[in-house]
Amino acid sequence: MVLFDLDSSKIFFKEVRDYFEEVITSYTSGFYRSSIVLLYSTAICDAMKKLKEMKEVFNDEKAKNLLSDVETLRLQGKNYTEWEDNLIEKIKIQKIYDFDDIMNLSHLKEKRNLAAHPTLNNEYDLYKPTQEETLFFIKSMYKIFIKPPFFCDDIIRKMDEDVTSRQNYFIGDYFKLKGYLERTYLSYMNEHMVAKAIKAYWKFVFRSSINSDCKTYWELNRQVLGIIYDYNNSYTTTYFNDTSNHAYLNQIDDDPETLIKMTYFISRHTEIYEVLNDENKEKLDTFLNKVDSFSYKLIAWFPDITPDNYLSSIELPTQDWVERIILKNNIIRYLHSQTETRVSKDVLRKLYIKLYKNVNFYDESEDRFYSCIEPFLNDFTVDEFIEIITSINENHQHYENWYQRGHNDKIYTAAKGKLPTSFNLSNYPHFHITES
């Protein structure tokens, strides 16, 4: 049954689903007092079933102890109010439910007492809840009913344990991880839970020095943080815009690996750069301006400029440089992956040609052919092919490379169908190809 956006088929336990439909039937018939009473009973039933499953399926110690205490009172023949009160109080104290959920359950209990007992006004009329408050409680409890039992207790801890235990299953398949997180966890999270998740995974990724396990699962945790950020964008925007959270978010490690992860993250979510304080901005900028960090500087487009403008104007190493510039293949792949969302293909091709032209060593020539030229031979324009051929002809790090003739063959094969008939290869004496 569907009431507005409440689909009872999503409720975890079948019995609770059936009870909930009775609640809806009472509500749609205008019997709001009956709806409140039955809804509260359904909520107690759902809580007991969740604890039972946590005990039997997940062997959860907190659920075992809580259920044991409540069952002792219930089986001793204590009145229902005493063991129900005990159940709700323990759920609250032990934080079995999210704060919002337990507060709504407590308020529902108050309304249920008014509706179930002969609470009379001055005219000796029974208490009658309004349609609006009845619907509010129905929606509030529905959010609890659809959550799986493992959402009880510390859901962030359980999510972390679950995901890390499945690391091998998710390796190399971002979309499999994304689908699993959205289906199993994120679709059930409210704003408070999202804030807790961001806070936890921010620490896992950017303060990993506090725990060796964080280092072990660093890449996995980075992906999880990004997925949380993207899925619950309105919640995450609220969290990061709240200046009271900025002190915590600026507690980050300053080692190179952490700064690399921060660069990746900010390149995807450029607004995060403004969350950093001046000290952390300076640390990041200093790192990115080092010669051996040049690869990461390529993706350091931050809020004041668009990626296309940034990549078009970036200053690349020149032939005067004597330090070796290592161009990371994973950065090239990452840049290429951004052509659908952030970076235009034209700008990216021009960047790759610049990177290929500016080499100081034979092995740089070799590496950049495979990373910047060969994968995109089908995409270069005629002018770009001429620029590539010219750069090879003018740079001895290219034309004296032992393997360059083979590279030239691939370039010329891809280019000759686009080159004009006026193109004269003899004008490029250092661009050698295998004669056919």
Side-chain angles (χ1 to χ4, degrees), residues 120-378:
L120 306 178
N121 61 17
N122 292 336
E123 300 298 325
Y124 302 125
D125 294 326
L126 292 174
Y127 166 79
K128 183 178 181 180
T130 66
Q131 178 181 7
E132 290 75 18
E133 66 181 337
T134 304
L135 182 58
F136 168 79
F137 284 116
I138 288 174
K139 289 184 174 182
S140 299
M141 293 304 104
Y142 173 80
K143 291 178 181 178
I144 298 177
F145 298 160
I146 63 174
K147 292 176 182 177
F150 56 74
F151 259 70
C152 296
D153 197 16
D154 187 351
I155 183 57
I156 307 304
R157 176 179 60 82
K158 285 183 169 59
M159 183 170 75
D160 175 48
E161 292 174 352
D162 180 28
V163 172
T164 53
S165 70
R166 299 170 185 264
Q167 179 179 232
N168 292 337
Y169 176 73
F170 296 126
I171 285 178
D173 196 332
Y174 168 84
F175 291 102
K176 184 183 291 184
L177 172 63
K178 181 175 182 288
Y180 181 77
L181 287 174
E182 291 177 352
R183 183 175 60 254
T184 309
Y185 296 99
L186 302 183
S187 60
Y188 299 106
M189 285 188 173
N190 58 25
E191 185 172 355
H192 177 66
M193 287 182 175
V194 170
K196 288 176 63 177
I198 292 172
K199 190 173 182 178
Y201 277 91
W202 185 270
K203 180 174 69 175
F204 295 163
V205 175
F206 300 121
R207 295 175 60 195
S208 60
S209 60
I210 64 176
N211 189 313
S212 60
D213 283 345
C214 292
K215 288 283 188 183
T216 303
Y217 301 109
W218 205 355
E219 180 59 24
L220 180 66
N221 289 336
R222 182 189 67 79
Q223 291 183 351
V224 171
L225 178 61
I227 291 168
I228 295 170
Y229 189 100
D230 290 335
Y231 183 82
N232 300 283
N233 193 256
S234 62
Y235 290 166
T236 52
T237 299
T238 299
Y239 181 81
F240 281 97
N241 286 344
D242 186 345
T243 56
S244 66
N245 296 321
H246 289 187
Y248 178 85
L249 293 170
N250 274 283
Q251 297 177 42
I252 60 176
D253 297 337
D254 58 4
D255 61 284
E257 287 299 317
T258 299
L259 295 174
I260 289 170
K261 292 293 188 294
M262 179 63 72
T263 303
Y264 267 114
F265 191 73
I266 297 179
S267 76
R268 291 181 173 91
H269 313 287
T270 54
E271 63 275 11
I272 298 301
Y273 186 68
E274 294 308 317
V275 173
L276 300 182
N277 58 28
D278 291 342
E279 180 183 357
N280 282 322
K281 285 180 180 178
E282 183 177 353
K283 287 178 183 177
L284 188 60
D285 293 345
T286 300
F287 167 75
L288 292 170
N289 285 319
K290 292 180 178 178
V291 173
D292 57 1
S293 300
F294 178 74
S295 279
Y296 305 106
K297 189 177 179 67
L298 292 175
I299 63 171
W301 50 73
F302 296 145
D304 58 334
I305 195 168
T306 66
D308 276 357
N309 288 340
Y310 176 80
L311 293 174
S312 297
S313 62
I314 193 169
E315 295 183 7
L316 302 182
T318 68
Q319 288 297 90
D320 295 330
W321 288 33
V322 295
E323 295 180 83
R324 186 178 301 275
I325 307 301
I326 304 300
L327 188 62
K328 305 287 187 181
N329 287 335
N330 61 320
I331 292 291
I332 295 298
R333 289 194 297 270
Y334 176 72
L335 282 169
H336 198 62
S337 73
Q338 301 304 298
T339 56
E340 298 300 325
T341 54
R342 294 185 176 89
V343 183
S344 72
K345 292 181 179 180
D346 290 346
V347 168
L348 209 52
R349 288 199 309 272
K350 288 179 172 58
L351 172 67
Y352 292 155
I353 294 171
K354 284 183 183 180
L355 292 170
Y356 186 62
K357 290 168 65 175
N358 288 274
V359 298
N360 281 335
F361 301 91
Y362 293 136
D363 56 351
E364 282 183 353
S365 170
E366 191 73 4
D367 288 344
R368 293 192 192 178
F369 171 77
Y370 288 118
S371 61
C372 297
I373 301 299
E374 185 178 43
F376 314 106
L377 287 175
N378 293 330

Side-chain angles (χ1 to χ4, degrees), residues 79-96:
N79 66 69
Y80 61 84
T81 300
E82 186 172 348
W83 72 262
E84 287 171 15
D85 289 345
N86 185 269
L87 171 64
I88 295 174
E89 187 62 22
K90 287 186 180 297
I91 288 176
K92 181 178 180 180
I93 293 173
Q94 299 187 31
K95 299 180 180 179
I96 301 295

Side-chain angles (χ1 to χ4, degrees), residues 379-421:
D379 301 321
F380 292 123
T381 66
V382 59
D383 290 338
E384 289 165 348
F385 273 122
I386 292 174
E387 188 176 0
I388 292 168
I389 292 171
T390 301
S391 71
I392 294 170
N393 184 65
E394 294 177 350
N395 188 338
H396 72 95
Q397 301 294 344
H398 287 315
Y399 64 73
E400 291 179 357
N401 180 2
W402 183 264
Y403 303 101
Q404 190 61 42
R405 185 184 296 268
H407 301 338
N408 291 350
D409 288 342
K410 292 179 180 179
I411 292 169
Y412 192 66
T413 297
K416 63 184 179 181
K418 297 180 179 180
L419 294 171
T421 55

